[in-house]
mmCIF file of all heavy atoms in Angstrom:
data_model
loop_
_atom_site.group_PDB
_atom_site.id
_atom_site.type_symbol
_atom_site.label_atom_id
_atom_site.label_comp_id
_atom_site.label_asym_id
_atom_site.label_seq_id
_atom_site.Cartn_x
_atom_site.Cartn_y
_atom_site.Cartn_z
ATOM 1 N N SER T 291 8.154 26.459 -24.292
ATOM 2 C CA SER T 291 7.821 25.177 -24.905
ATOM 3 C C SER T 291 6.446 24.693 -24.383
ATOM 4 O O SER T 291 6.044 25.014 -23.288
ATOM 5 C CB SER T 291 8.896 24.136 -24.623
ATOM 6 O OG SER T 291 9.133 24.023 -23.246
ATOM 7 N N GLY T 292 5.782 23.924 -25.205
ATOM 8 C CA GLY T 292 4.525 23.311 -24.861
ATOM 9 C C GLY T 292 4.393 21.992 -25.612
ATOM 10 O O GLY T 292 4.987 21.803 -26.673
ATOM 11 N N GLY T 293 3.652 21.091 -25.031
ATOM 12 C CA GLY T 293 3.502 19.799 -25.710
ATOM 13 C C GLY T 293 2.512 18.900 -25.001
ATOM 14 O O GLY T 293 1.801 19.291 -24.093
ATOM 15 N N ILE T 294 2.537 17.664 -25.463
ATOM 16 C CA ILE T 294 1.654 16.619 -24.919
ATOM 17 C C ILE T 294 2.530 15.394 -24.611
ATOM 18 O O ILE T 294 3.270 14.930 -25.463
ATOM 19 C CB ILE T 294 0.560 16.252 -25.901
ATOM 20 C CG1 ILE T 294 -0.350 17.456 -26.143
ATOM 21 C CG2 ILE T 294 -0.239 15.055 -25.422
ATOM 22 C CD1 ILE T 294 -1.457 17.208 -27.111
ATOM 23 N N LEU T 295 2.425 14.938 -23.379
ATOM 24 C CA LEU T 295 3.132 13.747 -22.934
ATOM 25 C C LEU T 295 2.118 12.633 -22.764
ATOM 26 O O LEU T 295 1.058 12.848 -22.149
ATOM 27 C CB LEU T 295 3.823 14.025 -21.602
ATOM 28 C CG LEU T 295 4.634 12.890 -20.994
ATOM 29 C CD1 LEU T 295 5.837 12.559 -21.855
ATOM 30 C CD2 LEU T 295 5.069 13.219 -19.598
ATOM 31 N N THR T 296 2.385 11.443 -23.334
ATOM 32 C CA THR T 296 1.488 10.303 -23.206
ATOM 33 C C THR T 296 2.233 9.123 -22.631
ATOM 34 O O THR T 296 3.438 9.006 -22.779
ATOM 35 C CB THR T 296 0.882 9.906 -24.572
ATOM 36 O OG1 THR T 296 1.963 9.514 -25.431
ATOM 37 C CG2 THR T 296 0.109 11.019 -25.195
ATOM 38 N N MET T 297 1.485 8.293 -21.908
ATOM 39 C CA MET T 297 2.087 7.109 -21.297
ATOM 40 C C MET T 297 1.096 5.961 -21.336
ATOM 41 O O MET T 297 -0.085 6.151 -21.017
ATOM 42 C CB MET T 297 2.490 7.401 -19.845
ATOM 43 C CG MET T 297 3.126 6.223 -19.179
ATOM 44 S SD MET T 297 3.674 6.602 -17.501
ATOM 45 C CE MET T 297 2.127 6.963 -16.668
ATOM 46 N N LEU T 298 1.542 4.812 -21.726
ATOM 47 C CA LEU T 298 0.736 3.572 -21.745
ATOM 48 C C LEU T 298 1.416 2.574 -20.807
ATOM 49 O O LEU T 298 2.591 2.320 -20.962
ATOM 50 C CB LEU T 298 0.659 3.016 -23.176
ATOM 51 C CG LEU T 298 -0.075 1.690 -23.341
ATOM 52 C CD1 LEU T 298 -1.556 1.843 -23.002
ATOM 53 C CD2 LEU T 298 0.106 1.162 -24.747
ATOM 54 N N GLU T 299 0.632 2.056 -19.846
ATOM 55 C CA GLU T 299 1.202 1.073 -18.903
ATOM 56 C C GLU T 299 0.123 0.091 -18.496
ATOM 57 O O GLU T 299 -1.052 0.273 -18.842
ATOM 58 C CB GLU T 299 1.820 1.777 -17.683
ATOM 59 C CG GLU T 299 0.896 2.772 -16.976
ATOM 60 C CD GLU T 299 0.274 2.217 -15.701
ATOM 61 O OE1 GLU T 299 0.521 1.061 -15.381
ATOM 62 O OE2 GLU T 299 -0.447 2.970 -15.088
ATOM 63 N N ASN T 300 0.504 -0.966 -17.772
ATOM 64 C CA ASN T 300 -0.459 -1.992 -17.374
ATOM 65 C C ASN T 300 -0.479 -2.098 -15.854
ATOM 66 O O ASN T 300 0.526 -2.422 -15.238
ATOM 67 C CB ASN T 300 -0.056 -3.323 -18.003
ATOM 68 C CG ASN T 300 -1.092 -4.395 -17.738
ATOM 69 O OD1 ASN T 300 -2.085 -4.180 -17.041
ATOM 70 N ND2 ASN T 300 -0.864 -5.563 -18.279
ATOM 71 N N ALA T 301 -1.642 -1.844 -15.264
ATOM 72 C CA ALA T 301 -1.785 -1.881 -13.797
ATOM 73 C C ALA T 301 -2.042 -3.290 -13.275
ATOM 74 O O ALA T 301 -2.025 -3.494 -12.074
ATOM 75 C CB ALA T 301 -2.938 -0.962 -13.409
ATOM 76 N N GLY T 302 -2.245 -4.250 -14.154
ATOM 77 C CA GLY T 302 -2.563 -5.571 -13.678
ATOM 78 C C GLY T 302 -3.966 -5.589 -13.052
ATOM 79 O O GLY T 302 -4.902 -5.042 -13.621
ATOM 80 N N ASP T 303 -4.095 -6.158 -11.868
ATOM 81 C CA ASP T 303 -5.375 -6.190 -11.147
ATOM 82 C C ASP T 303 -5.152 -5.647 -9.762
ATOM 83 O O ASP T 303 -4.916 -6.383 -8.806
ATOM 84 C CB ASP T 303 -5.909 -7.633 -11.109
ATOM 85 C CG ASP T 303 -7.308 -7.719 -10.511
ATOM 86 O OD1 ASP T 303 -7.981 -6.682 -10.442
ATOM 87 O OD2 ASP T 303 -7.679 -8.817 -10.075
ATOM 88 N N THR T 304 -5.206 -4.322 -9.619
ATOM 89 C CA THR T 304 -4.931 -3.662 -8.358
ATOM 90 C C THR T 304 -6.244 -3.206 -7.728
ATOM 91 O O THR T 304 -7.023 -2.512 -8.337
ATOM 92 C CB THR T 304 -4.033 -2.433 -8.636
ATOM 93 O OG1 THR T 304 -2.900 -2.844 -9.377
ATOM 94 C CG2 THR T 304 -3.581 -1.803 -7.327
ATOM 95 N N HIS T 305 -6.489 -3.612 -6.486
ATOM 96 C CA HIS T 305 -7.719 -3.221 -5.825
ATOM 97 C C HIS T 305 -7.486 -2.960 -4.344
ATOM 98 O O HIS T 305 -6.519 -3.426 -3.754
ATOM 99 C CB HIS T 305 -8.832 -4.251 -6.036
ATOM 100 C CG HIS T 305 -8.574 -5.539 -5.329
ATOM 101 N ND1 HIS T 305 -7.787 -6.509 -5.869
ATOM 102 C CD2 HIS T 305 -8.977 -6.003 -4.129
ATOM 103 C CE1 HIS T 305 -7.695 -7.516 -5.038
ATOM 104 N NE2 HIS T 305 -8.416 -7.238 -3.976
ATOM 105 N N VAL T 306 -8.401 -2.193 -3.759
ATOM 106 C CA VAL T 306 -8.375 -1.901 -2.333
ATOM 107 C C VAL T 306 -9.381 -2.838 -1.671
ATOM 108 O O VAL T 306 -10.538 -2.916 -2.094
ATOM 109 C CB VAL T 306 -8.774 -0.422 -2.050
ATOM 110 C CG1 VAL T 306 -8.945 -0.188 -0.561
ATOM 111 C CG2 VAL T 306 -7.754 0.531 -2.646
ATOM 112 N N ALA T 307 -8.933 -3.583 -0.669
ATOM 113 C CA ALA T 307 -9.800 -4.564 -0.003
ATOM 114 C C ALA T 307 -10.899 -3.843 0.813
ATOM 115 O O ALA T 307 -10.717 -2.719 1.265
ATOM 116 C CB ALA T 307 -8.974 -5.450 0.903
ATOM 117 N N ALA T 308 -11.996 -4.557 1.019
ATOM 118 C CA ALA T 308 -13.114 -4.004 1.788
ATOM 119 C C ALA T 308 -12.715 -3.799 3.249
ATOM 120 O O ALA T 308 -12.007 -4.633 3.826
ATOM 121 C CB ALA T 308 -14.310 -4.952 1.714
ATOM 122 N N GLN T 309 -13.152 -2.687 3.800
ATOM 123 C CA GLN T 309 -12.960 -2.405 5.222
ATOM 124 C C GLN T 309 -14.298 -1.937 5.745
ATOM 125 O O GLN T 309 -14.604 -0.743 5.690
ATOM 126 C CB GLN T 309 -11.897 -1.317 5.413
ATOM 127 C CG GLN T 309 -10.518 -1.730 4.910
ATOM 128 C CD GLN T 309 -9.532 -0.571 5.025
ATOM 129 O OE1 GLN T 309 -9.848 0.518 5.472
ATOM 130 N NE2 GLN T 309 -8.319 -0.852 4.648
ATOM 131 N N ASN T 310 -15.103 -2.868 6.247
ATOM 132 C CA ASN T 310 -16.438 -2.459 6.738
ATOM 133 C C ASN T 310 -16.261 -1.450 7.878
ATOM 134 O O ASN T 310 -15.367 -1.522 8.689
ATOM 135 C CB ASN T 310 -17.209 -3.675 7.256
ATOM 136 C CG ASN T 310 -17.687 -4.530 6.100
ATOM 137 O OD1 ASN T 310 -18.015 -4.013 5.042
ATOM 138 N ND2 ASN T 310 -17.716 -5.826 6.316
ATOM 139 N N GLN T 311 -17.146 -0.461 7.898
ATOM 140 C CA GLN T 311 -17.035 0.682 8.745
ATOM 141 C C GLN T 311 -18.357 0.881 9.501
ATOM 142 O O GLN T 311 -19.403 0.514 9.007
ATOM 143 C CB GLN T 311 -16.697 1.904 7.891
ATOM 144 C CG GLN T 311 -16.541 3.193 8.643
ATOM 145 C CD GLN T 311 -16.324 4.337 7.675
ATOM 146 O OE1 GLN T 311 -16.535 4.222 6.464
ATOM 147 N NE2 GLN T 311 -15.920 5.458 8.181
ATOM 148 N N VAL T 312 -18.287 1.483 10.656
ATOM 149 C CA VAL T 312 -19.501 1.820 11.436
ATOM 150 C C VAL T 312 -19.583 3.332 11.499
ATOM 151 O O VAL T 312 -18.631 4.002 11.888
ATOM 152 C CB VAL T 312 -19.471 1.218 12.830
ATOM 153 C CG1 VAL T 312 -20.643 1.686 13.655
ATOM 154 C CG2 VAL T 312 -19.449 -0.300 12.751
ATOM 155 N N ILE T 313 -20.713 3.900 11.083
ATOM 156 C CA ILE T 313 -20.964 5.324 11.242
ATOM 157 C C ILE T 313 -21.670 5.509 12.563
ATOM 158 O O ILE T 313 -22.799 5.025 12.740
ATOM 159 C CB ILE T 313 -21.832 5.869 10.099
ATOM 160 C CG1 ILE T 313 -21.071 5.722 8.756
ATOM 161 C CG2 ILE T 313 -22.147 7.343 10.328
ATOM 162 C CD1 ILE T 313 -21.846 6.235 7.575
ATOM 163 N N ALA T 314 -21.035 6.157 13.525
ATOM 164 C CA ALA T 314 -21.570 6.288 14.885
ATOM 165 C C ALA T 314 -22.184 7.663 15.095
ATOM 166 O O ALA T 314 -21.714 8.662 14.533
ATOM 167 C CB ALA T 314 -20.502 6.034 15.901
ATOM 168 N N GLY T 315 -23.190 7.720 15.895
ATOM 169 C CA GLY T 315 -23.808 8.965 16.308
ATOM 170 C C GLY T 315 -24.177 8.903 17.787
ATOM 171 O O GLY T 315 -23.847 7.916 18.480
ATOM 172 N N SER T 316 -24.852 9.876 18.301
ATOM 173 C CA SER T 316 -25.214 9.880 19.725
ATOM 174 C C SER T 316 -26.194 8.746 20.078
ATOM 175 O O SER T 316 -26.271 8.311 21.214
ATOM 176 C CB SER T 316 -25.822 11.234 20.099
ATOM 177 O OG SER T 316 -26.962 11.488 19.293
ATOM 178 N N SER T 317 -26.958 8.277 19.093
ATOM 179 C CA SER T 317 -27.934 7.204 19.373
ATOM 180 C C SER T 317 -27.384 5.828 18.982
ATOM 181 O O SER T 317 -28.150 4.884 18.893
ATOM 182 C CB SER T 317 -29.221 7.492 18.609
ATOM 183 O OG SER T 317 -28.945 7.505 17.208
ATOM 184 N N GLY T 318 -26.105 5.688 18.729
ATOM 185 C CA GLY T 318 -25.521 4.384 18.371
ATOM 186 C C GLY T 318 -24.869 4.430 17.001
ATOM 187 O O GLY T 318 -24.737 5.467 16.408
#
């Protein structure tokens, strides 16, 4: 068997909050 499955849904307003990050190296 073979076919196509479709889905329609509503995500609302979903987001990932900001997480400020520091990229560190040997000089800071």
Side-chain angles (χ1 to χ4, degrees):
S291 55
I294 296 178
L295 180 67
T296 62
M297 180 176 64
L298 176 66
E299 53 101 358
N300 186 357
D303 186 18
T304 307
H305 68 277
V306 173
Q309 297 175 359
N310 287 326
Q311 180 185 13
V312 174
I313 297 180
S316 58
S317 62

